[in-house]
């Protein structure tokens, strides 16, 4: 059913069009959640025609996207269960502070063949040691992890984003990155690391002001009221000062020749070879929207 232009605001139309680029029709409540903010300056060259069916809104001609989304929701539910189950075995590693689902799966929009994208935040100055331990532990548990140049990735864990808790502010502040951060689904959160992460990236609310509810719970610092044992402090001292530099050196040596535009530093590892924001902006401008 074609929707009258008077029933939808300009912001609604932008939101529907933006998500149509991901073949993702929106429910009414999602229109509110993903309303564009003051950082998104746009004007339609030609306003898109909006249709509605089964409670979903989409660009005219995108009726098949509704059926596709419903299928992907079912695929996503199964993959989220896998993510939670496999993450259970990692909670016991003391230097892991946060695990979150990212990418299309976080939106419930993963297809049958999709992998499972995860963000992991580690205790300060332990990122590369933790990453090495995680990979070894998952291999020991026979849990499938996506590797470089893998062709079959269905249901494999894709550990493509690692952050040190001392370096949580996102560098690229743009429309796409803001959405990616806002849609993260936490599945393990120690010492309110997720709340600090969102606080330090509160610029996302300039793009998507309603994307995360209860903004008051986010804050910059958290000091847990617990005393660490002498042994714990000794282990951390040895890891952060001796094992961590060695782990970083060895893993960076292993990656040599494989890195394109990925970010690899002591405090972050972001394995995204494709600049999705660039591709998205090109598509927006090429079709019907000008974004300033």
């Amino acid at each position: 059913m074609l929707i009258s232009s008077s029933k939808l605001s300009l912001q609604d139309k932008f939101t529907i069009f933006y998500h149509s680029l991901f073949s993702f029709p929106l429910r009414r409540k999602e229109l509110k959640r993903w309303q564009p903010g003051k950082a998104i300056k746009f004007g339609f060259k030609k306003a898109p025609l909006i249709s509605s069916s089964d409670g979903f809104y989409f660009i005219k001609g995108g009726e098949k996207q509704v059926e596709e989304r419903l299928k992907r929701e079912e695929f996503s539910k199964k993959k989220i269960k896998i993510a939670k189950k496999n993450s259970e075995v990692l909670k016991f590693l003391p230097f892991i502070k946060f695990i979150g689902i990212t990418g299309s799966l976080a939106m419930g929009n993963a297809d049958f063949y999709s992998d499972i994208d995860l963000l992991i935040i580690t205790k300060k100055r332990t990122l590369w040691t933790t990453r090495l331990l995680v990979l070894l532990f998952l291999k020991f548990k026979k849990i499938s992890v996506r590797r470089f140049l893998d062709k079959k990735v269905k249901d494999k864990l894709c550990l493509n984003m690692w952050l040190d808790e001392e370096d949580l502010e996102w560098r690229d502040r743009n429309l796409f990155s803001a959405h990616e951060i806002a849609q993260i689904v936490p599945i393990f959160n120690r010492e309110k690391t997720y709340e600090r992460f969102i606080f330090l990236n509160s610029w996302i609310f300039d793009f998507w002001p309603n994307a995360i509810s209860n903004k008051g719970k986010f804050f910059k610092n958290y000091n847990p009221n617990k005393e660490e044992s002498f042994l714990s402090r000794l282990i951390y001292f040895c890891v952060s000062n001796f094992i961590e530099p060695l782990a970083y050196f060895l893993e960076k040596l292993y990656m040599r020749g494989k890195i394109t535009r990925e970010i690899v530093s002591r405090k972050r590892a972001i394995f995204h070879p494709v600049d999705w924001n660039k591709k998205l902006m090109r598509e927006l401008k090429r079709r019907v929207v000008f974004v300033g």
Side-chain angles (χ1 to χ4, degrees):
M1 177 180 69
L2 195 64
I3 302 297
S4 170
S5 296
S6 61
K7 291 186 178 181
L8 294 172
S9 68
L10 197 63
Q11 287 74 21
D12 288 334
K13 293 175 183 177
F14 176 86
T15 296
I16 294 166
F17 177 73
Y18 178 90
H19 289 88
S20 76
L21 299 179
F22 300 90
S23 299
F24 194 74
L26 295 172
R27 295 182 173 94
R28 168 59 72 175
K29 64 180 181 180
E30 291 168 335
L31 283 180
K32 182 178 180 181
R33 180 188 179 190
W34 296 109
Q35 283 286 296
K38 61 184 180 181
I40 304 177
K41 300 176 182 179
F42 66 95
F44 285 105
K45 297 177 182 177
K46 182 180 179 181
L49 297 176
I50 308 298
S51 294
S52 176
S53 177
D54 297 326
F56 289 94
Y57 295 85
F58 47 87
I59 301 298
K60 182 183 177 183
E63 288 79 6
K64 290 183 179 180
Q65 291 183 358
V66 174
E67 181 181 355
E68 187 64 26
R69 177 175 171 181
L70 292 174
K71 288 181 182 178
R72 291 185 175 190
E73 283 183 347
E74 292 305 310
F75 297 145
S76 295
K77 287 177 184 176
K78 294 177 182 178
K79 292 176 189 290
I80 288 173
K81 286 182 180 179
I82 294 171
K84 289 181 176 179
K85 179 182 178 181
N86 291 342
S87 294
E88 284 290 326
V89 304
L90 301 179
K91 293 179 181 179
F92 302 100
L93 296 176
F95 300 143
I96 290 182
K97 304 292 286 288
F98 174 80
I99 304 173
I101 298 171
T102 66
S104 61
L105 181 56
M107 291 291 287
N109 197 37
D111 65 35
F112 179 78
Y113 297 101
S114 293
D115 56 13
I116 298 168
D117 291 329
L118 296 179
L119 161 67
I120 296 179
I121 298 175
T122 70
K123 187 176 177 68
K124 59 185 179 181
R125 298 190 293 279
T126 67
L127 187 153
W128 293 97
T129 304
T130 303
R131 184 175 183 273
L132 184 59
L133 288 173
V134 165
L135 293 175
L136 290 173
F137 197 58
L138 291 175
K139 186 173 183 179
F140 174 75
K141 289 287 187 177
K142 297 182 179 179
I143 295 173
S144 297
V145 177
R146 181 173 182 174
R147 300 290 185 178
F148 181 67
L149 295 180
D150 267 356
K151 296 190 182 297
K152 295 182 179 180
V153 301
K154 179 180 178 293
D155 295 343
K156 289 184 177 181
L157 299 186
C158 183
L159 310 178
N160 57 3
M161 284 199 287
W162 297 79
L163 297 176
D164 179 303
E165 65 174 335
E166 286 190 321
D167 191 16
L168 297 181
E169 292 187 57
W170 206 256
R171 305 282 197 274
D172 299 325
R173 300 188 173 192
N174 55 55
L175 178 67
F176 176 76
S177 295
H179 201 296
E180 291 290 298
I181 291 172
Q183 72 193 34
I184 290 172
V185 177
I187 53 177
F188 175 65
N189 185 29
R190 178 181 279 141
E191 297 174 0
K192 299 189 183 295
T193 300
Y194 173 71
E195 287 78 1
R196 288 187 56 238
F197 175 64
I198 296 299
F199 179 91
L200 293 170
N201 292 286
S202 57
W203 56 269
I204 67 175
F205 298 119
D206 291 336
F207 289 90
W208 308 104
N210 304 324
I212 304 176
S213 61
N214 194 14
K215 298 175 193 174
K217 69 180 180 180
F218 302 118
F219 45 84
K220 185 174 183 179
N221 295 307
Y222 175 69
N223 297 310
N225 296 318
K226 67 175 184 178
E227 289 278 338
E228 290 189 333
S229 67
F230 173 76
L231 180 59
S232 296
R233 284 184 278 124
L234 179 61
I235 291 173
Y236 173 68
F237 176 82
C238 293
V239 168
S240 60
N241 287 279
F242 303 110
I243 299 177
E244 177 68 7
L246 179 61
Y248 174 62
F249 172 78
L250 292 175
E251 292 186 69
K252 194 168 183 181
L253 186 66
Y254 171 76
M255 294 176 193
R256 189 172 60 183
K258 301 176 183 178
I259 298 174
T260 53
R261 64 176 298 275
E262 294 89 342
I263 298 171
V264 177
S265 68
R266 289 187 180 275
K267 294 189 177 183
R268 60 179 50 202
I270 311 293
F271 303 109
H272 282 165
V274 177
D275 187 344
W276 289 108
N277 180 66
K278 187 176 180 180
K279 290 172 69 71
L280 174 70
M281 295 303 291
R282 184 166 58 241
E283 186 67 14
L284 283 170
K285 292 178 179 179
R286 184 180 70 83
R287 295 178 68 179
V288 294
V289 179
F290 169 76
V291 179

